[in-house]
Amino acid sequence: MKKLSFMLFALLAVTLFTACGNDDEPINKQTVSMTVNNRAIKGDQVVFSQNNAQVEINYTAMEIQFNTEYKDINGQSHSVTTPAMKLINVGGSVYSFEKGNGEITGYFDFATGMMWFIINDSASPVICTSQLLYAYSTTTVNNPDNGNHFSHEHSAYLFALDSKCEKCILKISNFIPNIAGSVEASEVQFNDLTVTPTSTGYTITADKAESNNKFYTITDLNVTLSSQCQIINASYKCKGLDFTITGKVYPNVNYAVPF
């Protein structure tokens, strides 16, 4: 698994980490405050909402439970408090969980902290995710002048959406803006990208964006997060090179979306 310098803070937006027991005892529970993005979907209609969920993981019992909120397709707000749900390994570091008879179904990745779940609201399904991290992706860098190219799986991409789903931050770990395969920055950040919720995920675009360290400028950014955010396909230009990104939110997990 690649190293991500922003993993715990930026992905999970952690404001609280607590462990049961004293400092001499092993951690068996953790409670995390996590930003959750929700999309209620009915046909082409999408209602977006964002909240902070309190997530507790019990490592001894291998259970997860959380408190969260969302807006349904009619814009009505709801609160959800789940019971402790059993975590079932579905491959690698990814575990599934379920409340009731499919009332809530979801996945949690212990390697990345990425959380994805569906609330089957009576009015419409609601897709919920933590801030979107694509750590299992392939990046291809191409020189359009001579066709030389380089593909790698070292970079990860975090999209942190704002509360209105109008703008987002893109953080790239292990940034490789060359065809030699050398990491030039452990992390770069691009602000104020345009984000639009869709019935299958999100689109993220920018004609031009400058990195926070002023060293890099990207242009022609086009990102499509599809299959209810399971899949990323993206492209952009930087330093005269063309970049394409393909990947999944979870590796080697075949899970179906019911619409």
Side-chain angles (χ1 to χ4, degrees):
M1 180 64 198
K2 55 182 71 66
K3 301 295 184 181
L4 302 176
S5 60
F6 53 74
M7 183 63 65
L8 289 179
F9 183 79
L11 168 66
L12 298 176
V14 173
T15 58
L16 178 65
F17 252 105
T18 58
C20 296
N22 59 45
D23 292 340
D24 297 326
E25 294 177 345
I27 294 174
N28 57 20
K29 286 185 180 180
Q30 285 184 315
T31 302
V32 180
S33 179
M34 178 187 295
T35 299
V36 176
N37 300 305
N38 315 294
R39 287 175 304 113
I41 303 166
K42 190 172 185 178
D44 293 331
Q45 183 182 359
V46 180
V47 174
F48 175 85
S49 60
Q50 186 182 88
N51 68 285
N52 288 322
Q54 299 298 314
V55 182
E56 181 181 276
I57 299 173
N58 185 321
Y59 294 98
T60 302
M62 285 305 290
E63 293 175 337
I64 188 171
Q65 60 187 111
F66 53 86
N67 303 317
T68 191
E69 299 175 358
Y70 68 94
K71 289 184 178 179
D72 64 23
I73 199 67
N74 300 310
Q76 298 296 311
S77 296
H78 301 266
S79 296
V80 175
T81 299
T82 73
M85 298 173 287
K86 198 68 178 178
L87 288 162
I88 300 171
N89 185 257
V90 293
S93 57
V94 181
Y95 287 72
S96 67
F97 56 86
E98 183 174 7
K99 175 181 182 288
N101 187 20
E103 181 181 346
I104 294 176
T105 57
Y107 297 84
F108 185 85
D109 188 343
F110 279 93
T112 66
M114 180 66 201
M115 189 171 177
W116 180 104
F117 59 97
I118 297 177
I119 298 174
N120 284 301
D121 183 88
S122 59
S124 67
V126 183
I127 301 292
C128 312
T129 72
S130 54
Q131 297 286 31
L132 292 154
L133 175 65
Y134 295 86
Y136 308 99
S137 56
T138 299
T139 304
T140 299
V141 188
N142 181 67
N143 186 333
D145 294 332
N146 55 28
N148 291 338
H149 60 277
F150 170 71
S151 294
H152 65 87
E153 298 179 354
H154 302 303
S155 297
Y157 302 87
L158 170 71
F159 300 93
L161 280 57
D162 70 6
S163 60
K164 295 182 179 179
C165 198
E166 294 175 350
K167 297 292 183 179
C168 79
I169 293 169
L170 166 61
K171 289 191 177 186
I172 306 175
S173 70
N174 299 326
F175 188 49
I176 304 176
N178 55 70
I179 58 172
S182 58
V183 175
E184 292 190 14
S186 60
E187 178 184 318
V188 292
Q189 177 174 317
F190 300 92
N191 299 326
D192 296 323
L193 310 180
T194 300
V195 57
T196 303
T198 71
S199 60
T200 60
Y202 300 91
T203 60
I204 297 165
T205 59
D207 292 333
K208 183 178 181 181
E210 187 178 70
S211 66
N212 56 326
N213 60 12
K214 311 297 183 182
F215 293 158
Y216 305 101
T217 299
I218 61 174
T219 63
D220 304 290
L221 174 70
N222 284 283
V223 180
T224 299
L225 308 180
S226 60
S227 295
Q228 303 309 337
C229 302
Q230 298 175 27
I231 303 296
I232 180 172
N233 286 283
S235 62
Y236 66 91
K237 300 179 185 295
C238 182
K239 297 177 66 173
L241 302 173
D242 296 335
F243 294 71
T244 58
I245 306 158
T246 59
K248 296 181 177 182
V249 75
Y250 296 122
N252 304 319
V253 175
N254 296 317
Y255 53 106
V257 174
F259 56 93

